Every structure is written in C-alpha cells, then in structure tokens.
C-alpha cells in the first residue's frame, strides 16, 4: 500500500511539473535516440537467441531475450508469435524457470485476447499472475498486471488499478522496458478521457526511460508517437517523421502500422485528404500482419477518413465492420466473462490478503508465545539460580560456622599444647634444678653424716684421754665443714642464678662493665 501511494504521488508530482509541452527536452531525447541507434534494419536470428536462452542465465536475462525474440525485431505474424511463445513456454517449463514461465504465459494470454479469444487469454494471464506471485519475482508480477490492464479497455477503472500495480512492480523489478510500456498504456487511458495534462508526464517519463536505458524496442517508437499526439499540430509531423527514422520503425510492421495511423489521422485533421488516403492505405497494408485489435484501430481511422470527405456509405460500411469486430472482441458475453474473471481475481486477492493477515497474526502469536516461553524459561533459570545462590550461601555460612568452631577448637588445643609444653618445660626445668641442687645437697648431707660420726669418735677419744686422736678428728671435722660450706654456697649460687634468670627486665638500656659481663 505504501509503494502504491508513492507511485500515485510520483505521478501527481510529474503532472504538476509538466503542464506545458517541453519540446526542447523531447527534441534532445530524440537526438540521443537517433544518434545512438543504427538506421539500418536489423532482423534478429531468433533461433540462435532461442538456443542461447537455455544456457545458464538469470531469469531477468531470459526475459530480455524473450522480448528480443517476440517484440524488438521485425514483426512476427500472430501465428509466428504464438509459435515462438509456445516454444519458449515449453522450454521454461522444461528447465524449471517459473519466473520466465509466468512472463511468457502473460504475454501469450495477451496475444490470445488480441486475436479474438478474450476468455482463454485472460485465464492464461490470471494463471501467470498466480505463478508470478508464487515466485515473488517483481518483474514477472508487473508483466502479468500490465497485460491484465491491456485486456480491460472498456473498464478504465479496473485497467488503471492494474496499471498502477504493474508500475509498482515493474519499477521494483528494474524492468525499464515494461515500465516504459506501462506508462504509455497508462497515458493512453488519460488520452481517451481527453486529459492530455495527465497523459503528458507519463509519456515523457516513458520516452525518457526508453532513451536513457537504450531500449531499442517498440517502447522507444511508441513513446515519441504518443508525445506527438499530445503536442500541438505544428510539431506533430516532425515527431512522426522522426519515429519513422528509428530502426525499430524500419524493421517492425507494427510500428509502421502505428506511424501510418497517426500520420493519416494528422492529415485528416488538416483536411489534406490525398495525403490522408496515402497513409491510410499504407496502414491497411499492414493490417493482415497485426492483431485483430490493430485492425479495429484501422477501421476507426478509415471511418474518420470517409466521414471527413464526406462519404456516408463508406463511413457506415466501416462503422458497421468496426462494431462487428468490436462485438466479437468486447461483446457483452466477453465483457461478462472478463468481469467475472476480474471479480474472481479480486476475491483471490482478498483471500490472499486475508491469508497473509492470518499468517502475520499467526506469526505474531507464535512470536509472542516464543517470547512468553523464553521469559518463563528465563524466569525459571533466574529462580533456579537464585535458589542455588541461597543454597550456596547457606552452605558457605555452615562451612563458616564449622570453620569458626574448628578454629576455636584449634585455639583451645593450641593453648592446651602450649600449657602442656610449658608444664613439660617446667618439669624438665624442675628436674634440672633438682638435679643441680641435689648434687651439693648430697655432699652437704654426706659430709654432715661423716662429721656427726667424727664427733662421736672425738667424744670417745676425749673420754679415754686420747688427746692426739681427738685433735686429728677435729681437723677432719674442720675439713668437712669447709666442704659443707663450699657445697652450700654452690647451692646458693644455683638458686640466685635461677632467680636472676626469671627476673623480668625493664628493657631499658644501662651501663655495663663488659669485662665483668664477659
């Protein structure tokens, strides 16, 4: 819808800018067209291009080759066109190129409608549209819509809708040839409604695309032909002559037909009946090679010619032949059938839109469901993670408490060990001290006992009057007492040393006699 709106806005903008015919601009485009093209007729070797088509190519390249075969060279008769289009359609189906198949089926359907089988041709084009939409190829969809618009000349509203869609998709698919053709057909609708101001920008854009992109096809000639129809009479003949110099006009009978038709109409309007009859006769010489719709245009011009003479009998004869042919192409039954097909297509489009909307709704629902499941999964992961975190915190706290208890036990055990070591050290120290003191005490005790015995002996000796023995014993006693004194001082020195060792120091520095300390 946005692209359709953009296309309408573009057309409106061009219309506002091109109210006056830009002759200088058109002349410059024509000069480029004539200078870059060969003026010699070129007949394409269609069979060579047809063989080349089935080599590895993109669908866009194959579509370009297809148009070169059926349109851009010398004109094929309806029978020849049918032959080549059927052949290419079968080839596309054989290689599985659905895009090319859709494009060829659309053109084949249009060819069928132009030669009297409107119902059968429309069925082909609608089938091509379904096939093109299935491929999603913008160029193929644009080609299908373009040919549908051409098949509804009596229903301008429907034709415009199809042309708008064709313009949208052809631009999107960079199909310059079909964009140019589509703009021309769109402009002709406005010309039929006498809206030249609306038709002019479309014709200019179509001609510019054909020239700038070097499209050597009927689009180039038709672009300038339609511009001649919009311009005033003074320049019209100039453009008609320039079209006749284009290579496509030299080799293509359909272009020659249109040049002769436009020129005959110009001379009829100018009341130059001899020239008008010459070009009308030339136009009629090509009617056997073109489609029935072209013959319909030829009957219109001949009717205008004889009306301008005036020649009532001939005018009525051509009008009668015109209406007979028109009824065969666009009669009530044909119109009803075409309208029915258009209605069915609109219903199909509505169903496609409804299916697309339903699909989008399903996708949205699936997306929201997926988001919901994702969020639930995320929430579960967060909950589980939180739970694990809480459990981990509990375990850490439990381990911390256990470590604290273990640390307290270790401290208590360490204190006990230190106390045990202290007691052991104290026991060892006590044993050492006892041993050190025990030695002098043993000497004191032993010498005391000996001294006590010596006193007893001295008393006995004195009692018997043995003075000399008593004196000797007294000397021994003196010697023993000396030893007792010595060992007593030794024990006293040990005790003082222990007391000195256990005395707590102040840590202050004092003068010391080093000799004494050493």
């Amino acid at each position: 819808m946005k692209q359709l709106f953009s296309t309408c806005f573009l057309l409106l903008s061009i219309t506002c800018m091109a109210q006056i015919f830009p002759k200088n601009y058109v002349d410059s485009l024509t000069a480029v067209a004539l200078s870059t093209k060969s003026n010699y007729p070129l007949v394409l070797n269609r069979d060579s291009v047809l063989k080349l088509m089935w080599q590895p190519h993109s669908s866009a390249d194959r579509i370009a080759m297809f148009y070169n075969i059926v349109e851009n060279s010398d004109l094929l008769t309806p029978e020849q066109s049918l032959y080549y289009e059927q052949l290419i359609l079968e080839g596309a189906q054989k290689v599985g190129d659905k895009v090319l198949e859709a494009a060829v089926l659309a053109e084949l359907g249009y060819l069928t409608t132009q030669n009297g089988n409107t119902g059968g041709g429309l069925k082909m084009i609608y089938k091509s549209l379904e096939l093109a939409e299935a491929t999603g190829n913008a160029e193929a969809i644009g080609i299908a819509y373009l040919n549908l618009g051409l098949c509804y000349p009596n229903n301008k509203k429907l034709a415009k809708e199809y042309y708008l869609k064709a313009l949208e998709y052809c631009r999107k698919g960079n199909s310059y040839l079909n964009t140019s053709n589509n703009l021309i057909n769109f402009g002709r609708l406005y010309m039929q409604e006498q809206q030249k101001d609306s038709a002019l920008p479309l014709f200019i854009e179509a001609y510019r695309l054909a020239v700038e992109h070097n499209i050597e096809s009927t689009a180039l000639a038709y672009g300038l032909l339609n511009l001649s129809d919009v311009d005033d009479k003074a320049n019209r003949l100039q453009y008609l002559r320039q079209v006749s110099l284009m290579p496509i006009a030299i080799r293509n009978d359909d272009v020659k037909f249109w040049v002769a038709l436009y020129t005959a109409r110009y001379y009829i309007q100018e009341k130059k009946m001899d020239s008008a009859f010459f070009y009308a006769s030339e136009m009629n010489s090509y009617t056997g090679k073109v489609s029935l719709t072209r013959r319909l245009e030829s009957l219109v011009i001949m009717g205008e010619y004889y009306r301008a003479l005036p020649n009532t009998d001939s005018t009525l004869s051509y009008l009668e032949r015109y209406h007979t042919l028109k009824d065969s192409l666009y009669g009530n039954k044909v119109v009803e059938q075409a309208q029915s097909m258009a209605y069915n297509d609109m219903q199909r489009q509505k169903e496609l839109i409804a299916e697309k909307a339903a699909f989008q709704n399903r996708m949205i629902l699936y997306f929201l469901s997926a988001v919901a499941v994702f969020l639930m999964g995320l929430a579960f992961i967060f909950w589980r993670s939180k739970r694990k975190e809480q459990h981990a915190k509990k375990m850490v706290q439990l381990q911390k408490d256990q470590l604290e208890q273990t640390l307290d036990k270790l401290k208590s055990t360490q204190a006990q060990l230190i106390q045990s070591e202290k007691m052991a050290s104290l026991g060892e120290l006590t044993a050492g001290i006892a041993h050190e003191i025990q030695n002098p005490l043993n000497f004191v005790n032993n010498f005391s006992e000996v001294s006590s015995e010596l006193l007893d002996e001295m008393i006995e000796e004195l009692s018997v009057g043995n003075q000399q023995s008593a004196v000797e014993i007294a000397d021994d006693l003196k010697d023993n007492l000396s030893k007792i004194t010595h060992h007593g001082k030794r024990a006293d020195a040990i005790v003082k040393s222990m007391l000195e060792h256990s005395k707590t120091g102040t840590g202050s520095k004092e003068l010391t006699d080093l000799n004494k300390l050493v």
Side-chain angles (χ1 to χ4, degrees):
M1 180 61 71
K2 290 182 178 178
Q3 291 178 340
L4 189 61
F5 176 78
S6 301
T7 303
C8 295
F9 180 76
L10 174 63
L11 294 177
L12 181 62
S13 302
I14 295 174
T15 302
C16 295
M17 293 188 295
Q19 298 299 324
I20 300 174
F21 190 88
K23 186 175 185 305
N24 291 336
Y25 180 63
V26 174
D27 287 345
S28 64
L29 289 176
T30 304
V32 172
L34 293 175
S35 66
T36 57
K37 306 295 178 183
S38 170
N39 288 328
Y40 296 97
L42 172 65
V43 178
L44 185 72
N45 189 332
R46 291 184 169 86
D47 294 332
S48 298
V49 177
L50 191 60
K51 290 180 182 178
L52 183 64
M53 182 182 291
W54 307 124
Q55 295 180 7
H57 289 293
S58 66
S59 295
D61 290 337
R62 284 177 174 162
I63 290 174
M65 292 178 187
F66 163 67
Y67 280 115
N68 280 334
I69 291 173
V70 300
E71 180 179 350
N72 298 340
S73 185
D74 57 310
L75 180 67
L76 295 171
T77 63
E79 292 77 17
Q80 289 172 325
S81 294
L82 183 63
Y83 167 76
Y84 278 106
E85 290 184 7
Q86 286 282 10
L87 200 61
I88 295 172
L89 180 62
E90 292 171 4
Q93 292 171 342
K94 186 176 180 180
V95 300
D97 192 337
K98 298 295 183 182
V99 175
L100 177 62
E101 181 182 348
V104 176
L105 193 59
E107 295 293 347
L108 186 59
Y110 174 66
L111 177 64
T112 304
T113 62
Q114 295 299 288
N115 288 281
N117 187 358
T118 304
L122 280 171
K123 286 181 181 178
M124 292 183 188
I125 301 175
Y126 281 118
K127 183 179 178 181
S128 81
L129 178 60
E130 292 183 21
L131 184 61
E133 288 176 337
T135 66
N137 184 274
E139 182 178 18
I141 296 173
I143 291 170
Y145 275 124
L146 172 57
N147 283 283
L148 278 176
L150 289 169
C151 291
Y152 287 93
N154 295 330
N155 189 338
K156 294 182 177 57
K157 181 180 178 181
L158 184 59
K160 284 182 181 179
E161 290 180 7
Y162 284 138
Y163 286 150
L164 272 175
K165 289 182 179 179
L167 188 61
E168 172 191 347
Y169 283 104
C170 287
R171 287 187 185 279
K172 186 177 179 181
N174 295 322
S175 178
Y176 301 112
L177 170 64
N178 287 293
T179 300
S180 181
N181 285 330
N182 187 71
L183 290 166
I184 290 171
N185 294 323
F186 214 154
R188 283 175 178 170
L189 284 181
Y190 285 116
M191 290 296 290
Q192 292 172 14
E193 297 170 352
Q194 304 300 318
Q195 298 181 30
K196 288 188 177 182
D197 288 344
S198 298
L200 176 59
L202 299 175
F203 290 152
I204 291 174
E205 177 68 5
Y207 192 44
R208 181 190 66 79
L209 282 175
V211 174
E212 288 187 1
H213 293 281
N214 205 26
I215 303 173
E216 189 172 356
S217 70
T218 54
L220 192 66
Y222 294 157
L224 190 53
L225 276 176
N226 285 284
L227 283 170
S228 73
D229 211 21
V230 179
D231 198 6
D232 55 40
K233 295 179 181 179
N235 300 316
R236 192 170 299 170
L237 193 58
Q238 170 196 339
Y239 293 136
L240 293 174
R241 288 173 178 169
Q242 287 173 333
V243 173
S244 66
L245 295 175
M246 292 181 177
I248 191 68
I250 297 172
R251 65 178 181 259
N252 192 296
D253 287 342
D254 191 47
V255 179
K256 292 177 183 178
F257 169 84
W258 283 107
V259 172
L261 185 148
Y262 275 74
T263 308
R265 179 176 290 163
Y266 168 78
Y267 283 119
I268 290 171
Q269 292 172 352
E270 293 294 311
K271 304 299 181 183
K272 296 180 179 180
M273 305 313 293
D274 292 339
S275 297
F277 181 77
F278 171 81
Y279 284 102
S281 300
E282 186 177 354
M283 174 190 67
N284 283 324
S285 67
Y286 300 119
T287 54
K289 303 178 184 180
V290 294
S291 62
L292 291 177
T293 54
R294 299 292 190 265
R295 297 177 193 177
L296 200 64
E297 296 287 345
S298 176
L299 291 173
V300 172
I301 292 298
M302 294 307 297
E304 291 178 2
Y305 170 77
Y306 284 108
R307 188 185 298 115
L309 281 178
N311 187 328
T312 306
D313 292 339
S314 297
T315 301
L316 289 175
S317 174
Y318 278 106
L319 284 175
E320 183 179 351
R321 290 164 61 185
Y322 167 78
H323 286 293
T324 300
L325 181 57
K326 184 178 180 182
D327 287 340
S328 68
L329 291 173
Y330 308 115
N332 291 332
K333 291 184 179 180
V334 175
V335 171
E336 288 177 5
Q337 187 180 14
Q339 296 289 6
S340 175
M341 290 183 181
Y343 174 77
N344 292 335
D345 180 64
M346 285 189 287
Q347 291 298 112
R348 186 182 66 84
Q349 293 290 343
K350 288 181 180 178
E351 290 175 1
L352 286 175
I353 293 172
E355 289 178 3
K356 185 177 180 181
F359 175 76
Q360 289 177 343
N361 290 334
R362 286 199 302 272
M363 289 298 101
I364 291 172
L365 181 62
Y366 293 155
F367 175 74
L368 293 177
S369 300
V371 170
V373 171
F374 174 74
L375 292 176
M376 289 176 64
L378 202 61
F380 175 75
I381 292 172
F382 284 155
W383 173 79
R384 188 173 180 182
S385 176
K386 188 69 176 178
R387 187 177 178 184
K388 285 184 177 180
E389 183 182 354
Q390 291 175 348
H391 179 70
K393 285 183 178 179
K394 288 181 180 179
M395 293 299 296
V396 169
Q397 186 63 39
L398 180 62
Q399 291 176 355
K400 182 180 178 182
D401 294 340
Q402 290 176 350
L403 287 173
E404 288 179 351
Q405 292 176 3
T406 303
L407 183 61
D408 291 340
K409 288 180 181 180
L410 285 173
K411 288 181 179 179
S412 175
T413 303
Q414 186 180 24
Q416 292 176 1
L417 287 172
I418 292 171
Q419 185 65 26
S420 298
E421 288 179 358
K422 286 182 179 180
M423 294 302 295
S425 298
L426 183 60
E428 291 178 359
L429 180 63
T430 303
I433 293 171
H435 177 72
E436 290 295 325
I437 294 176
Q438 186 66 35
N439 286 330
L441 286 177
N442 286 335
F443 281 108
V444 170
N445 291 330
N446 289 332
F447 283 114
S448 295
E449 289 178 1
V450 171
S451 296
S452 178
E453 292 176 355
L454 289 173
L455 283 174
D456 291 334
E457 290 179 4
M458 187 178 67
I459 293 171
E460 288 179 2
E461 291 294 332
L462 288 175
S463 63
V464 290
N466 190 355
Q467 191 73 22
Q468 183 64 30
S469 295
V471 172
E472 290 177 359
I473 293 170
D475 290 334
D476 290 335
L477 280 172
K478 186 177 179 182
D479 187 40
N480 286 343
L481 289 173
S482 174
K483 290 179 180 179
I484 290 171
T485 300
H486 170 71
H487 287 289
K489 288 181 178 180
R490 180 183 170 193
D492 180 63
I494 291 171
V495 172
K496 285 182 180 180
S497 177
M498 288 175 59
L499 291 175
E500 185 70 25
H501 180 71
S502 63
K503 185 172 63 176
T504 303
T506 60
S508 59
K509 295 180 180 180
E510 296 178 355
L511 292 175
T512 304
D513 185 351
L514 292 178
N515 293 326
K516 186 177 180 180
L517 179 62
V518 172

